[in-house]
Amino acid sequence: MPYCVIAVRRENLIEDTLDTLSEPRMNFRKELKVKFVGEEGVDSGGVKKEFFQLIVRQIFDPAYSMFNYNEEVRTYWFNPDSLEAPIKFELVGFILGLALYNSVILDVHFPRVVYKKLLELKPEFSDLADFSPSIAQSLDFILKYKEPDLEDILTCTFTVDTDTYGRKDSVELVPGGSSIFVSQSNKHEYVQKYLEWLFDKSVSRSFEAFKKGFSKLYGGELKSNCDPEEFQLLVCGSPVLDFHELERTAKYEGGYTRNSEPIVNFWSIIHELDLEHKKKFLFFSTGSDRAPIGGLANMPFSILKNGLDGNQLPSAHTCFNYLLLPPYKSREKMKEKLHIAINNSEGFGLS
């Protein structure tokens, strides 16, 4: 069989995918085809993309408590106190590798240090910049402070305070750390031990399972082929969005052409949006707010004429990158409807 075909139930998506992961006869180094049990249709790429969208959404659902969301930088990090079994984190790593192998961009938001660790590169102080600027600022103050009274100012020991579902505790960074105060003579060691705890020791159980899942498809071949920045782009796309590229390569169906008045109005509205709303529109239409490698010109995108001029909102088949756009007769009305749609809907106009 030239394809790797998996069958999953929508209502048991994670459990069925876990069962598939443990199936020794499955060859995941073939092009993936997905079938939702009880549904008709052949996967021409759209069903596969929907599968990844749905399972990523479930994995990062706060109800699972597998990852903590950092509002400061809008990224997810492994929850050190997660009660989920390691196999669940293995599934996340497997999904990451499977999507990469099948050239599907994921709407995942990890800090760059995750990709660095997968490439078996040691985290450094500079990795704090996009992980937690506030922690980076605090530790940077300690490193740059030159006065001899550092110990008196900080009154800080070689410990980390934790809060596990309301139970407060203190973890020693070194043996006897609760009795060792941070001073000018040991501050560099303190920062190093803190980074080791933050990036490695506190999440070793979940990260090692995550890495094991990813390694089912990718062993060491990535280490010699890309750096962490390139790796991150391959997984979740580029944040650089050139909508003129998207306009240049867009396709039109249902009676629209690039010269149709609604299409001319549409692109003029899109181009005047600020970056945040452009990202919202892209997510609304495609399920991701990032561009593939090579930019938006490399992303298939089609606009279909849908319905009549009325109160109907634009909708989208995100698994196919199809925007369903009614032929609004005025630019003002189209602008109003587009703003409502992208600000109040996730874009799943799926039939």
Side-chain angles (χ1 to χ4, degrees):
M1 184 180 294
Y3 303 109
C4 172
V5 182
I6 65 172
V8 293
R9 295 166 294 175
R10 287 182 182 271
E11 65 275 16
N12 289 285
L13 195 58
I14 289 182
E15 290 77 8
D16 288 356
T17 307
L18 280 171
D19 289 341
T20 300
L21 175 62
S22 60
E23 175 53 62
R25 294 173 296 177
M26 296 294 290
N27 183 359
F28 294 107
R29 291 183 178 270
K30 295 181 178 180
E31 182 182 350
L32 181 67
K33 298 282 185 180
V34 178
K35 177 175 176 55
F36 287 111
V37 176
E39 299 181 19
E40 299 295 328
V42 178
D43 184 6
S44 299
V47 180
K48 173 172 61 182
K49 183 178 177 183
E50 185 186 4
F51 162 76
F52 282 113
Q53 290 174 345
L54 293 176
I55 198 165
V56 164
R57 185 183 299 174
Q58 288 194 27
I59 286 169
F60 288 94
D61 189 316
Y64 276 96
S65 298
M66 294 175 65
F67 298 92
N68 291 331
Y69 183 67
N70 186 336
E71 292 277 0
E72 186 180 19
V73 286
R74 300 182 180 181
T75 59
Y76 288 90
W77 181 246
F78 301 85
N79 180 3
D81 307 313
S82 174
L83 301 178
E84 294 291 343
I87 189 65
K88 292 287 184 69
F89 289 96
E90 186 177 334
L91 172 65
V92 183
F94 172 70
I95 289 297
L96 196 76
L98 191 61
L100 179 59
Y101 194 82
N102 285 273
S103 301
V104 176
I105 292 177
L106 294 181
D107 183 42
V108 296
H109 300 273
F110 285 130
R112 191 163 298 166
V113 69
V114 168
Y115 303 98
K116 197 169 185 178
K117 284 168 63 67
L118 282 175
L119 294 174
E120 297 184 359
L121 299 173
K122 186 175 181 178
E124 301 171 312
F125 184 82
S126 59
D127 293 311
L128 279 173
D130 76 331
F131 179 86
S132 175
S134 57
I135 294 177
Q137 185 178 12
S138 297
L139 294 181
D140 189 55
F141 168 80
I142 294 174
L143 292 175
K144 290 181 176 178
Y145 192 80
K146 303 300 183 184
E147 300 302 321
D149 61 346
L150 179 64
E151 181 176 337
D152 297 329
I153 289 177
L154 291 180
T155 62
C156 170
T157 61
F158 273 60
T159 58
V160 176
D161 294 329
T162 62
D163 187 338
T164 307
Y165 302 112
R167 189 185 76 248
K168 298 187 182 302
D169 202 355
S170 182
V171 178
E172 292 188 330
L173 298 177
V174 296
S178 59
S179 302
I180 304 173
F181 284 86
V182 178
S183 64
Q184 287 290 359
S185 63
N186 63 20
K187 66 180 182 181
H188 290 280
E189 181 188 7
Y190 167 76
V191 169
Q192 184 58 42
K193 294 298 181 183
Y194 183 88
L195 292 179
E196 290 176 4
W197 174 83
L198 181 67
F199 288 139
D200 296 323
K201 293 180 180 179
S202 67
V203 295
S204 59
R205 172 178 170 271
S206 52
F207 185 83
E208 287 306 311
F210 170 78
K211 182 179 178 182
K212 178 182 177 182
F214 181 80
S215 298
K216 287 182 180 293
L217 279 162
Y218 288 95
E221 57 263 41
L222 279 176
K223 288 192 290 183
S224 59
N225 293 327
C226 66
D227 59 27
E229 290 77 15
E230 293 168 332
F231 187 6
Q232 186 174 26
L233 289 175
L234 287 171
V235 172
C236 58
S238 170
V240 179
L241 304 176
D242 186 341
F243 277 81
H244 291 284
E245 286 187 349
L246 187 63
E247 179 183 7
R248 181 170 55 83
T249 57
K251 307 296 183 184
Y252 304 97
E253 299 181 25
Y256 278 150
T257 70
R258 67 176 58 254
N259 297 317
S260 299
E261 185 177 354
I263 295 301
V264 173
N265 288 336
F266 166 78
W267 285 116
S268 71
I269 293 167
I270 293 300
H271 291 315
E272 71 182 19
L273 294 176
D274 60 27
L275 179 59
E276 193 62 31
H277 282 88
K278 284 180 177 177
K279 291 169 68 174
K280 284 186 176 183
F281 167 75
L282 196 62
F283 185 84
F284 168 78
S285 303
T286 70
S288 172
D289 64 1
R290 289 178 167 240
I293 294 293
L296 290 178
N298 287 348
M299 185 184 75
F301 181 70
S302 296
I303 302 178
L304 287 74
K305 188 175 183 179
N306 183 53
L308 302 173
D309 179 25
N311 292 320
Q312 183 179 359
L313 292 174
S315 57
H317 293 294
T318 58
C319 52
F320 294 103
N321 296 351
Y322 280 3
L323 175 67
L324 280 62
L325 184 68
Y328 304 114
K329 292 180 180 178
S330 74
R331 186 182 186 279
E332 291 72 22
K333 187 171 186 179
M334 178 176 289
K335 184 175 182 178
E336 176 193 356
K337 298 298 184 182
L338 275 171
H339 274 274
I340 293 173
I342 67 177
N343 285 301
N344 296 281
S345 171
E346 290 185 296
F348 283 82
L350 299 172
S351 56

